[in-house]
C-alpha cells in the first residue's frame, strides 16, 4: 500500500507508518521491521525461531551505507496498536502501556 502524509520529523513519520500498517494489517501481521533504504541486513543475524516468546523487540545486524561498518538494531518489534517512535533524530521505540 502507498500513502502520503506531511513530514514533521522522523519519529512522527515512522509513527504514521506504524499507524497505517495497523490500519492495513491489524493483528494479521505479527511483527513489523523498520529498515532504511541505505541499510543492508546481514544474513543470518536474525533467527525467525526467536520471534516467539517474551520479548517485545528483536535485534538484527545491518551494514551501514558505506558497506564497511555494521551495527545491531532492535527495529524488529511485535506489531501492536499504539506502537510509536519518539524523537526527530535518533528515534526510539515508545511502547504502549500494555507491552
Amino acid at each position: 500500500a502507498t500513502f502520503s502524509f506531511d513530514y514533521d520529523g522522523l519519529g512522527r513519520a515512522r509513527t504514521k507508518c506504524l499507524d497505517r500498517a495497523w490500519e492495513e494489517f491489524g493483528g494479521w501481521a505479527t511483527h513489523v521491521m523498520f529498515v532504511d533504504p541505505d541499510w543492508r541486513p546481514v544474513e543470518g543475524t536474525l533467527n525467525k525461531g526467536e520471534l516467539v516468546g517474551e520479548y517485545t523487540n528483536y535485534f538484527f545486524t545491518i551494514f551501514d551505507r558505506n558497506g564497511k561498518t555494521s551495527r545491531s538494531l532492535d527495529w524488529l518489534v511485535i506489531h501492536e496498536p499504539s506502537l510509536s517512535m519518539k524523537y526527530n533524530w535518533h528515534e526510539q521505540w515508545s511502547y504502549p502501556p500494555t507491552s
Side-chain angles (χ1 to χ4, degrees):
T2 302
F3 66 100
S4 62
F5 55 88
D6 293 328
Y7 177 81
D8 56 356
L10 286 173
R12 285 186 290 272
R14 292 186 195 276
T15 296
K16 289 175 185 177
C17 290
L18 288 164
D19 291 344
R20 184 60 185 260
W22 187 259
E23 288 173 19
E24 292 287 327
F25 302 106
W28 179 81
T30 59
H31 294 76
V32 64
M33 176 187 244
F34 268 108
V35 181
D36 285 0
D38 59 344
W39 296 345
R40 185 170 45 98
V42 177
E43 188 176 346
T45 62
L46 178 66
N47 179 346
K48 286 191 218 178
E50 295 174 348
L51 297 181
V52 294
E54 62 193 69
Y55 301 108
T56 303
N57 54 333
Y58 302 87
F59 283 88
F60 60 98
T61 304
I62 56 109
F63 281 115
D64 291 312
R65 76 183 77 170
N66 63 17
K68 297 177 183 173
T69 58
S70 64
R71 57 188 160 132
S72 291
L73 298 173
D74 65 343
W75 285 27
L76 173 62
V77 298
I78 292 175
H79 192 215
E80 57 185 322
S82 303
L83 183 63
S84 63
M85 294 190 100
K86 56 187 177 180
Y87 307 125
N88 284 334
W89 297 105
H90 305 292
E91 311 91 306
Q92 293 181 3
W93 290 107
S94 179
Y95 299 100
T98 59
S99 291

